[in-house]
Amino acid sequence: MNKFRYFFLTASLLCCALCLTACNDDDDNDDDNDVVASYLLGTWNVSNVEGYEIDGDDHVDFTDTYYRGEWYFIFYSTGTYREYVINEDGQSAQREGNGSYSYYNEKLTLRFVHNEQNYEVYEYKVLELTSSRMVLEEDGEYIYQKITFVK
């Protein structure tokens, strides 16, 4: 009888422990997303662009490193960004308009507004994002490009 009570008590405690154990919070993915998204903040210089364009029947491959130091983005914690290109005269020029961005589940969406009726949306898959290097992939109907940035 004593063995039965001991077995019943052990089984009851085990059952309670299993039933009362909380599941892991689903917000862990959001926390990871926030940490990685914080890497996005700051100034990113384009160091390499490679891919291809489809123009009619032509498939044109390209690799461009001439952007180094001439094309860069600044991402702010407010969800906005600025894009700059160094002009031929060596001066930095911001594109006309305002940009906003969102990052979620390894996807970066850039929305660049020229005016109320005219805007562009770019969606990139984030292949790599660390505190010093970012690699974005755009896979469209007529263009594929992989853009590498460094801080």
Side-chain angles (χ1 to χ4, degrees), residues 14-45:
L14 183 61
C15 184
C16 287
L18 291 174
C19 292
L20 297 177
T21 301
C23 295
N24 196 4
D25 194 0
D26 290 339
D27 291 341
D28 284 349
N29 190 28
D30 289 340
D31 292 343
D32 291 344
N33 190 68
D34 292 342
V35 169
V36 173
S38 72
Y39 290 151
L40 189 61
L41 303 179
T43 302
W44 291 94
N45 295 289

Side-chain angles (χ1 to χ4, degrees), residues 74-86:
I74 302 175
F75 291 92
Y76 300 97
S77 61
T78 57
T80 59
Y81 77 96
R82 298 288 182 255
E83 178 181 356
Y84 295 88
V85 177
I86 305 295

Side-chain angles (χ1 to χ4, degrees), residues 106-124:
E106 299 177 353
K107 180 178 164 186
L108 178 63
T109 303
L110 303 178
R111 187 170 194 263
F112 193 82
V113 179
H114 298 281
N115 56 49
E116 290 180 15
Q117 289 84 28
N118 189 9
Y119 65 90
E120 302 169 58
V121 176
Y122 302 96
E123 292 186 350
Y124 298 98

Side-chain angles (χ1 to χ4, degrees), residues 46-110:
V46 175
S47 66
N48 189 51
V49 180
E50 60 186 68
Y52 60 84
E53 290 180 301
I54 298 173
D55 186 11
D57 292 334
D58 294 333
H59 178 102
V60 180
D61 292 322
F62 60 85
T63 299
D64 297 324
T65 57
Y66 63 84
Y67 291 115
R68 277 193 193 134
E70 296 181 5
W71 182 23
Y72 62 98
F73 293 76
I74 302 175
F75 291 92
Y76 300 97
S77 61
T78 57
T80 59
Y81 77 96
R82 298 288 182 255
E83 178 181 356
Y84 295 88
V85 177
I86 305 295
N87 293 335
E88 292 173 6
D89 61 2
Q91 299 296 314
S92 179
Q94 178 183 343
R95 284 182 60 182
E96 293 181 19
N98 298 304
S100 62
Y101 71 90
S102 62
Y103 176 85
Y104 190 72
N105 283 344
E106 299 177 353
K107 180 178 164 186
L108 178 63
T109 303
L110 303 178

Side-chain angles (χ1 to χ4, degrees), residues 6-20:
Y6 180 72
F7 175 75
F8 181 73
L9 182 61
T10 303
S12 296
L13 288 174
L14 183 61
C15 184
C16 287
L18 291 174
C19 292
L20 297 177

